[in-house]
Amino acid sequence: MFDDKKVIFSGMQATGSITLGNYLGALKNWVKLNEEYTCLYSVVDLHSITVRQDPAELRKRSRALLMQYIAAGLDPEKNIIYYQSHVSGHAELGWILNCYTYMGELNRMTQFKDKAAKHTDNINAGLYTYPALMAADILLYQTDVVPVGSDQKQHLEITRDIALRFNNIYGDVFTIPEPYIGKEGARIMSLQEPEKKMSKSDENANASIYLLDDPELIKKKFKRAVTDSDNAIAYSVDKPGIKNLIDIYCSFTGESTDSAVAIFEGKGYGNLKAIVGDTVAEGLRPIQEKFKELSQNSDYIDSIIKANAEKANYMAQKTLRKVKKKIGLPQ
Ligand code: ATP
Ligand code: LTN
């Protein structure tokens, strides 16, 4: 819509430090896709406050998250990297789309059910209507493709349903977005409870590898990874711990599952954990170095934040004007 290139939008919440799950499920694919598309990558800070946050921590984490996008390989001159709260169109369209989203649809959202169960003292309306704001993030930029991990599939489906509903009433207002869910890394599991996805807000720090973890700590966490009482290496749903380690290894090395199993077969769990630990520690080293470099260049980060919010705002206003006109808000 904005030039000949198709549009990509994706985001992460500033609820903690980026995990290996976020990296392999989303960020790594963002870097891969960034040549052929107009890409917007947002730190979705408005989504983060659906769970209670400490203000100083949220500010710090949001900036660190934005810097990790860049450190992982996204060029801020070529990609629009910005804070969601700096573009007021997200909240505006979010409200409008709330009015085109049914409670019956929201009731089915598994992320809401999981988070409500985890935060029983704060089941707020924002947590419930989170998907309408996410739909706004995506539809605001006439997005064609949304690269996410498989846990976001349901949110993409509701986004498409809302967009189709809106278009049916008012004509072709929104582009209908497609999810992009990578083959490997789509769902990285917790190292401590491999039946559960790795999550940046997990209280158990041993369950997640963080992008900025020290290499020695990464190796240690892999050594402590929960597997099973058997010692035979196989890629199977009955062995979620081993399957997860093999998935992580393949995501980093580009090896196929079969050849990874052949490499590790007969070598025991200890060996597998050590090799995966070394591979990840080495694989993350360049990102960590770049992050350190960026940390010393605060003015540069400030200028990126400002310039990119302006670009995003310009794009957002185009859609917002169209939407407001269609639904009859006074011009
Ligand atoms: P939280 O713990 O606060 O729910 P999260 O770790 O689930 O956070 P998000 O910010 O919600 O992370 O998600 C950012 C991106 O990372 C999304 O595209 C999501 O699909 C992807 N993602 C999150 N966890 C995983 C995982 N374990 N495996 C693969 N992709 C993941
Ligand atoms: N809901 C996502 C984060 C998110 C997002 C988005 C992802 C908010 N808005 C728009 C892609 C596109 C999550 O919880 N992982």
Side-chain angles (χ1 to χ4, degrees), residues 9-13 44 47 111 130 134 137-138 146 148 151-152 155:
F9 181 94
S10 200
M12 283 190 201
Q13 299 184 74
V44 291
H47 277 104
Q111 184 169 306
Y130 178 117
M134 176 156 165
D137 298 342
I138 296 168
V146 187
V148 280
D151 61 312
Q152 293 303 310
H155 284 160

Side-chain angles (χ1 to χ4, degrees), residues 3 6 193:
D3 50 30
K6 291 198 163 187
E193 295 167 82

